[in-house]
Amino acid sequence: MEIKDILYIHGITAYGNNHHSLEKQLNKMGYTFHHPDLPGHGIQASTETNNQYTFDDMLLFLKTYIKINIRDKPFIIMGHSMGGGLTLALYKNFKKQITRVILECPLTPAIFNQSERFSKIKFKDFLINISKYKKFIKDNWLLFLKGIRKWTGKDSYTSLLANIMNSNALNKIRTGLKMIDVPTLLIVGENDSVVPPKSTLSYVKDEIHTTLIKKVALGAKHNPFKDTPEQLERFVIDFLKKY
């Protein structure tokens, strides 16, 4: 059966229709690019509703969306950031239908690896020239510790972000990753300070047991689709043509 459905799952504070250029390219190739807004996001977003939803609510919404819009057809699944974590958690439920997986700066337990953010610091040099590292510390450590507000810019999502980083959500993400047995494309941003690129590449490589294509979007931060769209498109299209 020809596979022509791609389900894209966006990240926290984002919306489904944010991969415009990629979607156009995929449409030309005959694919239908599904990109629903998650509960509390997109046109549904409001300060009053954003914090009402949990990781499990997102999963339930996506399961329902798939059953109504994709039904029992095979499909390709793609997720960015939190959407990458949801992609992995969903795999268990749709293992028989999912033919390929695309992860763009995905949420995994590797997000807690702070050592990568400081790997470029030489301790002796740090002690001698501490002022030189002030900006580095501010841009990395504080971004993570205070990242909920600085990253999203919206206090209304803090409860949801805390929920998707609890043990329940992370266990589902880890379990899904271990179950993947189809070709998988992993894209990370070279300068991503939210999802550490090296740690994420290493973590996924160690946990997954299938064909894994690893790509680094040079110059990109947490949103390759916005920072370096041409690279992202090339990675995805080349992957779909080959696998």
Side-chain angles (χ1 to χ4, degrees):
M1 181 184 293
E2 193 174 18
I3 298 128
K4 288 301 181 182
D5 287 279
I6 300 176
L7 173 62
Y8 166 70
I9 307 172
H10 66 77
I12 192 168
T13 79
Y15 52 92
N17 190 23
N18 60 12
H19 280 58
H20 309 288
S21 183
L22 176 61
E23 181 177 3
K24 288 180 181 178
Q25 295 298 320
L26 293 174
N27 288 161
K28 290 178 182 178
M29 295 171 65
Y31 289 104
T32 298
F33 195 71
H34 301 262
H35 48 74
D37 289 335
L38 293 171
H41 292 72
I43 60 173
Q44 308 174 58
S46 71
T47 303
E48 293 74 26
T49 62
N50 292 340
N51 269 325
Q52 293 179 8
Y53 300 102
T54 65
F55 189 81
D56 286 341
D57 291 331
M58 305 291 173
L59 286 176
L60 179 60
F61 167 81
L62 289 165
K63 289 174 186 176
T64 303
Y65 181 91
I66 292 169
K67 290 176 181 177
I68 293 174
N69 296 279
I70 299 178
R71 300 183 293 281
D72 59 352
K73 294 184 292 182
F75 66 97
I76 299 160
I77 192 166
M78 174 179 180
H80 170 254
S81 194
M82 176 184 74
L86 288 164
T87 291
L88 295 172
L90 276 172
Y91 190 81
K92 178 180 179 181
N93 300 97
F94 297 94
K95 189 174 184 293
K96 293 182 178 179
Q97 290 178 249
I98 295 174
T99 63
R100 279 159 285 178
V101 174
I102 301 172
L103 302 170
E104 181 186 356
C105 304
L107 168 66
T108 71
I111 197 172
F112 295 109
N113 189 343
Q114 290 297 318
S115 62
E116 183 178 334
R117 294 181 170 89
F118 292 92
S119 62
K120 297 180 181 179
I121 291 182
K122 295 181 179 179
F123 188 64
K124 184 177 180 181
D125 184 49
F126 174 75
L127 293 177
I128 296 173
N129 303 292
I130 191 167
S131 62
K132 184 175 75 172
Y133 289 101
K134 284 183 178 179
K135 185 176 186 303
F136 181 89
I137 294 171
K138 180 180 179 182
D139 290 347
N140 291 274
W141 181 254
L142 293 183
L143 175 61
F144 185 80
L145 294 181
K146 300 179 180 180
I148 296 173
R149 186 171 185 176
K150 187 175 180 180
W151 169 26
T152 66
K154 302 173 184 178
D155 290 333
S156 56
Y157 285 98
T158 56
S159 178
L160 172 59
L161 188 54
N163 179 267
I164 65 177
M165 289 189 178
N166 67 24
S167 59
N168 170 59
L170 292 175
N171 283 337
K172 289 178 178 178
I173 291 170
R174 188 180 297 110
T175 298
L177 180 58
K178 288 177 178 290
M179 292 182 69
I180 293 179
D181 58 359
V182 297
T184 298
L185 171 63
L186 171 61
I187 302 167
V188 296
E190 179 186 26
N191 302 316
D192 192 341
S193 55
V194 178
V195 171
K198 291 181 181 178
S199 299
T200 300
L201 288 168
S202 177
Y203 180 81
V204 173
K205 178 180 177 292
D206 289 344
E207 295 291 331
I208 205 168
H209 302 288
T210 187
T211 300
L212 176 64
I213 306 302
K214 299 176 292 182
K215 296 292 183 179
V216 178
L218 301 178
K221 295 182 180 180
H222 187 55
N223 299 315
F225 66 87
K226 181 169 63 175
D227 300 331
T228 57
E230 296 84 4
Q231 284 188 77
L232 177 73
E233 290 167 33
R234 186 173 71 253
F235 295 156
V236 172
I237 292 172
D238 287 351
F239 174 73
L240 294 178
K241 286 181 177 179
K242 186 172 181 179
Y243 297 97

